[in-house]
């Protein structure tokens, strides 16, 4: 396989390179950039010395056309113009930005404050939440890879909502992320002296992943709801934990919740439902493509607490993208992704 | 004033020393210990060299009796035996443990898994949530200083529940704490290699601060509810953030919520209600006795998100204890506590 | 006293505010800025809400002239133009930048890559290494406050070089700093995701503090040497440790080294020489004006290892500046600086 | 290949499992323990769920004998008794502890404060510094895998000492390590609240890796010296940086130093000599088996600063052990070790 990565110098691109470098079916990886054409990748990222001593290529249709798979890992608003001309049955386009995820252009415009992609292109895009959409993903020429928060939220909640075990109308989602989710551009929010030894809350009720979560709950669990969703910045580089709260329906037990999750994911190697969790943390999936889920029913309030952890740059971005590519290429979906987490 | 600190070598005791050292009305501080009598405090904690080059004293009634104020900062289960004999109108006992907070011994036993203090002593104890109980605190011989989580939760929620602006029956509290809350005894949970670059959830629905929160909501806001409360361990030393979620009652606006909070605390110098909060974080109160509160109404779901931050070892422990002592000693309640937070 | 702070929105300025807020002799603090005139300080730094709800003033001679003491905490190259017109016997100017530290303009130009201050102004400037220059500091109208690294290095080495106990010609200084030393402007070097869980080396043999160290060794210890000095960036916000290595002269023992240090600083309340140091770390001075020093002689190699720790924004910047102001104002030098370190 | 790991629940064992799990030639991995026989490994380390859901085996000669390769990752003093009976030409024993590294039992006893292994066993042990001892490693039945600090120090210094470019008699080594080097047993030194936001120095001139470094310099570079070596604890989990200082001999240039290093390692895929290093840090090798080296000559003092970074649990322990196993098994030495570092 010949792979192209657009936006290779961002953290999404960097992680695609890390993971694809060990992928047994990948022959060649070309890196494309709009701003740093000709510069050596290993000069920008010295940790890739001897591994990627090659120059970044400028973005043009010809060179991108020669790739079997193109991953785009650019800021929102870029791929809505860049990718449409490349759509073809001979090529898989996997977009890690939010440009093709939302089906309603008005919703995109409202939450992203940017111009949406053309509606006819949006309609061609397939949402790449692997465990819930494998058949469509297999066929898709244009794949909208899910956001990091939605991945953690949806994998843990969809089964329980779909099977009508929890009441989604009272759903509250408290999400926490490491700082790498903010990308590689320095800002006050990611300035070490103000981020270290500090916990912040940001974009309260205003995160652009909210409509993505709601759309997917409608699509996969057939429930039309508005969620309360807040996001916190944790002083660590990698990792997302989402803690979700919802009342259970009458008569539902903790065992029902666990069983539902376990049955849903019994053929999904990357989703692990943990029965016991005296210790449940983001590091148990660090550097890996796992999504670990735990659930506990509070018998005093009849409310369930559902917890989900992922590595935001792996399962929340590059890892899930490669998992999707594996499905598209008729490979085992774990190919090249069998990393043991770096617990320490 | 002559001060005694029991349990001086724990983090609560250490912070009492840090703060009392700069208190203008404190003449002498004696440190008491059950296990390290005679050893130099500055040998155990070299950062106090030249500041506290004195030996720890053994705990006995005589030496404790000569103190005007005794702070006890010991693990749960210790002061229920230690303090009762010292109760006297001539002395103020301020207990930082959970031993005298819960009025119902059966509840204590259930959540703490320990024997409760004698019921007649519990009845004499006053709950030291400063901003809500100043008159009783002024008179109290035995003060039960609030827990760290309850302080952050109650200061932010009591006004809104009391004034019937939010519906407490659907209250969900997602709490996050730095690691110093676990004290100074090493364990796997506080082992750097497993805590750093990691976010954990612990004691789901099982934290002993739950009954304390519920009891205080009943006492001060006249609402009898069961709360859903979870706790997370954040890779930082100091700081607590609680993010609480509840529906607002019909017709309530964000302005109503803010006004209610601001009016409640207009004469409380340590509670700051923040109208705008693009940046709202634990470090804005680091090392200080402030509790900062912010609230946002999600118009899409009609649910309010109420956020509160404190320094867990200051306002959540030693600082509030000294604030209470100030009230008891008829001093301005800010005496010795006017620290500017260490934002960086 | 009426205080003016120029460059108040940087970390040096921020720490001056934190410390001066508790200074018993300070009546008023005015904050000056070149770029943010009129904006509220507490809007930029919400942690100062209710403490500094006042607008930043534009820099002009008139308003600065009404101050008894002016602290300047601006980037290198600013005060060489700003301060000279303000020099007067009625006012104390304390500059925290490097603009007036180096006596030789050519040396400044070489290491700072900027135009030096006028030579006649440089000649009027006094180097503010408190413990070594009190008499000159007391008289000085223009004070060049030392750099953070030089403070830690010089306090620990000057006694041993001056008393001819170690051979400075083989001196190697390995310095480590927290990230706050880089100031409040975001950059790749201070970007959390690339700084956290990472240790870097930077400006190898090229740090602008090298000539400052060498000049002070010549001035105070009468030795003319070139030092090997490297600097490392440690994933923490505050703190500097310098580990220095030099052979001892024939017959010198570890006790000689310790005695020399202890005698030198017996009347210096902020310098603590630690005899035993099983645990010697930056946090033992966190948030305080202490400089702690430890020394060990390696009998196998006859080389001494001399270690020094400071809080870079306190003793390495704002704290030492206030200590100097105290001396100039004929106050006890510890006034307003008696903080117990935040060990945790 | 059938692999046995003794001491699997420590961090060395954990990292062996992480790396061997992806090794293409490994068929089976058995985990052995002296204290937790029968317990499920994935219960202790939930991050290995679905990867290692198997019970720990008790240590006995029979089960260990059936392994082709036995890795021992136990505290010092354990393998000196455990391994000798297993020595055989049919089996490779790779010991990650310090028990077989030092050739002189008296030296071991002095620095480790423990009884040494029998002298006749020590004599059979081969020192596993891969890049310097490949031929002996290929033959070795009992391999003493190097310590973490010695690996970083020796790889960077041996070429320069051997080729007589730097003067080793004045060698000073300032070493810094992340906290995982202290293992998985909680202690005050690794207690998060006292380690986070803190930099410590420890075991000044007293680290047991000193004699290992000196012995290897004698063995491989033919120089008999005593080094000054100090160790610092950095608030991060993984990573070692060693900064070494030595005068260069007359006429030696920076280019000479770089050339010497580059020539030495031109056929060593895991050692990267960096010519330019504006950014040189531990994270550039995070999670990988690389050792990156940089050198700069200070023309003012004629002293070279030589910097080396490794991941202490990979190249400093488990990774180098597997690299050695590859050589012994006649595999390419990079087999199973081609990880791209996790720079973020």
């Amino acid at each position: 396989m010949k792979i192209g990565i657009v936006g290779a110098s961002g953290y999404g691109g960097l992680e695609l390179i890390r993971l694809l470098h060990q992928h047994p079916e990948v022959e060649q990886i070309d890196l494309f950039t709009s701003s740093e054409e000709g510069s050596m990748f290993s000069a920008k990222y010295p940790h890739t010395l001897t591994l990627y001593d090659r120059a970044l290529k400028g973005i043009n249709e010809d060179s991108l056309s020669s790739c079997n798979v193109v991953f785009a890992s650019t800021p929102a608003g870029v791929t809505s113009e860049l990718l449409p001309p490349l759509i073809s049955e001979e090529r898989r386009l996997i977009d890690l930005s939010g440009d093709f995820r939302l089906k309603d252009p008005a919703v995109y415009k409202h939450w992203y404050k940017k111009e949406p992609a053309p509606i006819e292109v949006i309609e061609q895009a397939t949402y790449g939440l692997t465990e819930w959409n494998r058949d469509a993903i297999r066929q898709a020429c244009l794949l909208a890879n899910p956001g990091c928060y939605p991945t953690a939220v949806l994998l843990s909640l969809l089964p329980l909502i779909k099977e009508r075990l929890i009441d989604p109308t009272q759903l509250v989602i408290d999400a926490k992320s490491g700082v790498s989710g903010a990308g590689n551009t320095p800002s006050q929010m990611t300035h070490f002296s103000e981020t270290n030894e500090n916990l912040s809350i940001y974009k309260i009720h205003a995160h652009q992943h909210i409509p993505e979560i709601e759309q997917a709950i409608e699509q996969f669990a057939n429930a039309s709801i508005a969620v309360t969703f807040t996001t916190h910045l944790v002083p660590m580089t990698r990792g997302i934990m989402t803690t979700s709260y919802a009342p259970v329906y009458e008569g539902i037990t903790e065992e029902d919740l666990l069983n539902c999750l376990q049955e849903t994911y019994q053929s999904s190697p990357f989703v692990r439902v943990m029965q016991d969790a005296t210790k449940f943390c983001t590091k148990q999936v660090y550097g890996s493509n796992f999504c670990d889920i735990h659930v506990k029913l509070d018998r005093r309030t009849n409310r369930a607490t559902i917890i989900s952890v992922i590595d935001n740059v792996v399962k929340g971005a590059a890892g899930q993208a490669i998992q999707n590519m594996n499905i598209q290429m008729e490979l085992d979906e774990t190919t090249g992704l069998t990393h043991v987490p770096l617990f320490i």
Side-chain angles (χ1 to χ4, degrees), chain A:
Chain A
M1 274 193 287
K2 232 189 115 197
I3 308 284
I5 301 176
V6 182
S9 61
Y11 289 161
L14 205 53
E15 191 70 355
L16 283 166
I17 291 169
R18 181 176 82 89
L19 298 171
L20 290 169
H21 182 67
Q22 290 194 298
H23 195 289
E25 304 297 326
V26 169
E27 289 153 46
Q28 189 185 325
I29 305 172
D30 283 332
L31 309 181
F32 297 90
T33 176
S34 58
S35 57
E36 303 175 84
E37 184 177 348
S39 71
M40 292 294 285
F41 189 71
S42 58
K44 184 174 173 70
Y45 286 117
H47 73 283
T48 63
L49 196 75
T50 74
L51 303 170
Y52 282 91
D53 301 325
R54 64 174 74 171
L56 293 164
K57 297 186 172 185
I59 296 175
N60 66 65
E61 246 186 87
D62 276 2
S63 39
L64 282 167
S65 294
S66 71
C67 300
N68 305 109
V69 182
V70 174
F71 293 97
S73 179
T74 56
V78 173
T79 50
S80 55
E81 290 193 13
L82 178 71
L83 292 189
L86 291 167
I87 296 177
S88 148
E89 299 220 341
E90 291 154 44
R91 191 177 308 112
R92 303 302 187 130
L93 304 177
I94 302 181
D95 184 33
L96 279 76
S97 85
D99 283 7
F100 301 104
R101 293 179 197 150
L102 300 178
K103 289 302 176 193
D104 183 340
V107 170
Y108 178 90
K109 200 167 176 176
H110 173 74
W111 291 88
Y112 281 82
K113 320 286 180 213
K114 284 179 195 295
E115 282 309 305
I119 181 71
E120 64 278 10
V121 182
I122 293 176
E123 279 165 1
Q124 292 179 65
T126 297
Y127 189 61
L129 186 69
T130 321
E131 282 76 9
W132 286 80
N133 214 16
R134 285 190 184 90
D135 290 341
I137 290 166
R138 193 169 289 114
Q139 315 301 330
C141 293
L142 175 59
L143 200 83
N145 211 59
C148 51
Y149 285 124
T151 298
V153 167
L154 294 168
L155 289 177
S156 62
L157 295 183
L158 284 177
L160 307 178
I161 299 176
K162 191 183 173 201
E163 299 304 324
R164 304 291 179 252
L165 302 183
I166 59 171
D167 176 2
T169 65
Q170 291 188 36
L171 188 59
V172 163
I173 306 166
D174 188 286
K176 298 100 177 164
S177 176
V179 183
S180 61
N184 75 337
T185 306
S187 72
Q188 216 66 41
M189 198 190 177
T190 62
H191 190 50
F192 185 87
S193 299
E194 303 184 12
T195 306
N196 175 48
E197 186 66 4
N198 197 6
L199 174 71
S200 310
I201 187 166
Y202 69 104
K203 289 194 185 175
I204 309 170
H205 312 149
H207 199 288
Q208 70 276 11
H209 286 167
I210 292 174
E212 182 180 339
I213 290 168
E214 292 174 353
Q215 173 183 290
I217 288 177
E218 183 146 22
Q219 181 180 356
F220 298 112
N222 206 22
S224 175
I225 55 159
V227 299
T228 288
F229 178 78
T230 60
T231 43
H232 302 75
L233 194 68
V234 180
M236 59 187 192
T237 300
R238 286 172 182 245
I240 277 181
M241 178 184 283
T242 61
T243 316
S244 302
Y245 304 90
V248 294
Y249 284 115
E250 178 106 34
I252 301 302
T253 64
E254 193 170 290
E255 213 186 343
D256 294 334
L257 301 171
L258 272 168
N259 285 345
C260 169
L261 289 164
Q262 274 167 336
E263 279 163 30
T264 304
Y265 296 117
Q266 62 191 350
S267 307
S268 290
F270 290 123
V271 182
R272 302 187 295 190
V273 180
M274 304 242 163
Q275 208 143 4
D276 177 40
T278 45
K279 213 175 179 176
F280 193 82
C281 60
T282 55
K283 262 208 147 178
Q284 68 191 37
V285 297
Y286 204 89
S288 83
N289 200 46
F290 287 115
C291 173
D292 286 0
I293 301 174
H294 183 56
V295 62
K296 261 201 134 41
L297 180 58
D298 186 2
R299 274 161 292 184
R300 298 168 62 253
T301 64
N302 239 23
R303 229 171 264 129
T305 300
I306 307 113
I307 312 121
S308 181
V309 289
I310 59 169
D311 182 321
N312 57 307
V313 285
V314 187
K315 185 61 173 169
Q320 185 163 221
I322 294 169
Q323 188 183 357
N324 285 331
M325 177 195 79
N326 286 339
I327 288 175
Q328 295 182 326
M329 297 290 144
E330 308 285 352
L331 302 169
D332 184 291
E333 78 185 58
T334 66
T335 310
L337 293 171
T338 57
H339 305 81
V340 180
L342 280 85
F343 174 63
I344 60 119

